[in-house]
């Protein structure tokens, strides 16, 4: 059935990312080819390949950010990426409905599936107040923080522990 096909695609999408993450030792979390520390130009190419959306790299202060070519406010931006002065990605945020075919999943189903596939220890996640909302947060001993709220994910370097 159509629903079973969507469920299979969603699981395959998460499994494919988990395999990419395991093959890529550059960082603890690799989501669809995006990872902390990668060059922002490479992140731009990965994003454009996934979404077919034209982006440009904008210098903001001493860092960089990927921006959309179109200013059409009706377009949804699925991935946000910021980089440091050396153009290395320091923050990634994702709206996962499209990225992981998660439209029909509840928020809890998505969080459970994502943390399972990416080996994020749920028992070490804490609920934190961030940007006027409650997020589930995991601070990794490997130097990154992962925040999840509903089907939104934010991955960033942690300050020195």
């Amino acid at each position: 059935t159509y629903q079973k096909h969507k469920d299979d695609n969603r699981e395959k999408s998460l499994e494919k990312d988990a395999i990419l993450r395991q093959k890529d030792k550059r960082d603890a979390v690799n989501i669809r080819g995006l990872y902390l520390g990668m060059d922002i130009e490479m992140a731009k190419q990965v994003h454009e390949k996934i979404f077919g959306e034209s982006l440009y790299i904008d210098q903001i202060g001493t860092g960089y950010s990927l921006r959309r070519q179109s200013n059409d406010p009706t377009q949804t931006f699925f991935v946000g990426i910021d980089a440091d002065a050396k153009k290395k990605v320091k923050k990634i945020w994702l709206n996962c409905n499209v990225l992981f075919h998660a439209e029909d999943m509840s928020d809890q189903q998505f969080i459970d599936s994502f943390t399972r596939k990416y080996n994020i220890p749920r028992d070490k996640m804490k609920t934190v107040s961030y940007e006027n909302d409650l997020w589930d947060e995991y601070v990794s001993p490997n130097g990154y923080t992962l925040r999840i709220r509903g089907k939104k994910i934010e991955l960033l370097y942690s300050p020195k522990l």
Side-chain angles (χ1 to χ4, degrees), residues 19 68 113 133:
I19 290 167
R68 139 184 318 149
S113 182
D133 218 333

Side-chain angles (χ1 to χ4, degrees), residues 3 15 57 94-95 98 108 129 133 149-150:
Q3 184 60 41
E15 287 170 14
I57 298 171
L94 308 162
N95 183 334
V98 172
Q108 192 59 51
S129 179
D133 218 333
R149 180 177 60 83

Side-chain angles (χ1 to χ4, degrees), residues 5-132:
H5 177 71
K6 284 182 82 172
D7 291 344
D8 289 346
N9 282 343
R10 179 175 37 246
E11 284 300 311
K12 285 178 186 173
S13 178
L14 285 166
E15 287 170 14
K16 181 176 164 186
D17 280 350
I19 290 167
L20 284 173
R21 178 185 47 78
Q22 290 167 357
K23 286 182 179 176
D24 189 340
K25 300 299 182 195
R26 290 171 283 199
D27 195 67
V29 178
N30 178 324
I31 303 172
R32 286 288 172 99
L34 298 170
Y35 55 91
L36 295 174
M38 74 187 303
D39 185 81
I40 196 166
E41 183 62 43
M42 184 185 290
K44 175 182 179 290
Q45 292 171 10
V46 169
H47 184 280
E48 288 176 347
K49 183 178 178 184
I50 293 170
F51 297 106
E53 180 177 56
S54 184
L55 303 174
Y56 69 95
I57 298 171
D58 191 17
Q59 186 166 7
I60 300 176
T62 60
Y64 297 86
S65 187
L66 286 182
R67 300 282 185 225
R68 139 184 318 149
Q69 295 285 8
S70 168
N71 290 326
D72 181 353
T74 63
Q75 291 184 356
T76 302
F77 199 52
F78 300 107
V79 178
I81 299 173
D82 292 329
D84 61 17
K86 295 180 182 177
K87 296 188 176 181
K88 299 299 180 191
V89 171
K90 65 178 185 176
K91 181 177 179 181
I92 301 168
W93 62 261
L94 308 162
N95 183 334
C96 297
N97 270 335
V98 172
L99 193 61
F100 292 113
H101 308 287
E103 305 91 356
D104 297 328
M105 296 175 89
S106 72
D107 291 350
Q108 192 59 51
Q109 286 173 319
F110 174 75
I111 292 169
D112 291 343
S113 182
F114 183 87
T115 55
R116 185 176 61 253
K117 297 289 183 186
Y118 283 88
N119 297 318
I120 305 297
R122 286 298 304 258
D123 61 326
K124 294 191 177 174
M125 293 186 86
K126 297 179 181 172
T127 300
V128 298
S129 179
Y130 176 70
E131 294 185 347
N132 299 319

